[in-house]
Amino acid sequence: GESVGLHLPTLSVQEGDNSIINCAYSNSASDYFIWYKQESGKGPQFIIDIRSNMDKRQGQRVTVLLNKTVKHLSLQIAATQPGDSAVYFCAENELGTYKYIFGTGTRLKVLA
Amino acid sequence: KAGVTQTPRYLIKTRGQQVTLSCSPISGHRSVSWYQQTPGQGLQFLFEYFSETQRNKGNFPGRFSGRQFSNSRSEMNVSTLELGDSALYLCASSINRVGGTGELFFGEGSRLTVL
């Protein structure tokens, strides 16, 4: 398939283990954050979002943590599965700008 | 509900030519955004439209332009193509949130190769 990023940081985890993907965002005025998953040859897919008035949000097998003090986001995936193998991007949005700034991405490889 | 549809999926052009890419948003979504994705630069914002008005534009040369129609469908155009314009062009639609853009729903992209 098409290569999303040739030299992305890669996180390799064993199937069944938990994964933690980190992201440093750039704009202290950003108030809405999203994690996206992109599989080879596809567009990014929404995983989970969080607003700046929260520091944690949980979904199905995923948790997002937001630390505004150090401008840091993390995505935790519980019981990682082979289908979780993909590139993960964080995206930030500042109200009124109508655009998202995307992180560089992290490639997640799940080892059987 | 149908997702975001982009056409064409793949195209090859030569330097100096121009290209038009099309995007049909999810029904009911009035905000359409375009992003360029390359291995070196990642996902870069091109522009965003809402009700036929461009509300923001990224740091791209004037060769990159776009428009939105009354039915929310959008097109982007790149004129005088350069080798560096080779990329995956992603369209995303969203439901507007007050004062901003909501969650982006992406299409599969249009893969442009410039020779």
Side-chain angles (χ1 to χ4, degrees):
Chain A
E2 294 134 352
S3 175
V4 169
L6 296 177
H7 302 293
L8 290 174
T10 298
L11 174 66
S12 297
V13 298
Q14 288 293 138
E15 182 178 354
D17 286 353
N18 297 335
S19 304
I20 299 176
I21 300 172
N22 296 303
C23 172
Y25 65 91
S26 61
N27 181 5
S28 57
S30 292
D31 70 319
Y32 182 52
F33 305 87
I34 303 177
W35 279 100
Y36 282 94
K37 171 186 180 183
Q38 188 173 26
E39 297 173 288
S40 184
K42 296 188 176 181
Q45 299 171 267
F46 173 92
I47 300 173
I48 191 167
D49 60 357
I50 189 167
R51 299 198 180 277
S52 59
N53 60 352
M54 305 172 70
D55 52 22
K56 180 179 180 179
R57 188 155 192 241
Q58 289 183 288
Q60 187 176 11
R61 280 202 310 120
V62 294
T63 300
V64 55
L65 299 177
L66 173 62
N67 184 330
K68 293 182 289 294
T69 303
V70 294
K71 295 193 292 185
H72 184 268
L73 271 173
S74 67
L75 175 70
Q76 300 176 3
I77 304 173
T80 311
Q81 302 169 358
D84 295 327
S85 292
V87 177
Y88 290 80
F89 295 96
C90 65
E92 57 180 295
N93 174 252
E94 176 186 354
L95 191 67
T97 63
Y98 311 111
K99 72 175 185 180
Y100 283 80
I101 299 172
F102 283 79
T104 52
T106 296
R107 188 181 305 279
L108 176 65
K109 287 187 177 179
V110 181
L111 308 172
Chain B
K1 195 182 254 190
V4 176
T5 303
Q6 291 189 245
T7 56
R9 288 291 315 278
Y10 302 91
L11 65 165
I12 300 173
K13 294 285 187 178
T14 57
R15 280 179 296 174
Q17 288 187 309
Q18 72 162 7
V19 66
T20 299
L21 309 177
S22 180
C23 172
S24 293
I26 292 171
S27 177
H29 288 191
R30 293 166 62 191
S31 169
V32 174
S33 304
W34 289 89
Y35 288 80
Q36 181 196 64
Q37 186 173 32
T38 60
Q41 298 296 317
L43 279 145
Q44 300 286 314
F45 172 74
L46 281 157
F47 18 68
E48 190 267 1
Y49 290 90
F50 179 80
S51 292
E52 302 178 69
T53 299
Q54 186 183 88
R55 296 194 292 189
N56 201 352
K57 186 178 190 308
N59 296 325
F60 281 83
R63 301 184 296 107
F64 291 80
S65 63
R67 58 178 175 168
Q68 186 182 35
F69 303 96
S70 58
N71 61 358
S72 294
R73 193 176 69 83
S74 178
E75 288 181 349
M76 67 163 284
N77 183 277
V78 187
S79 63
T80 319
L81 284 165
E82 301 177 0
L83 295 178
D85 297 333
S86 294
L88 181 67
Y89 289 88
L90 290 161
C91 171
S93 72
S94 72
I95 293 174
N96 201 46
R97 65 177 177 127
V98 176
T101 305
E103 169 199 342
L104 300 178
F105 293 83
F106 283 91
E108 303 285 76
S110 292
R111 168 74 59 184
L112 170 65
T113 301
V114 182
L115 302 177

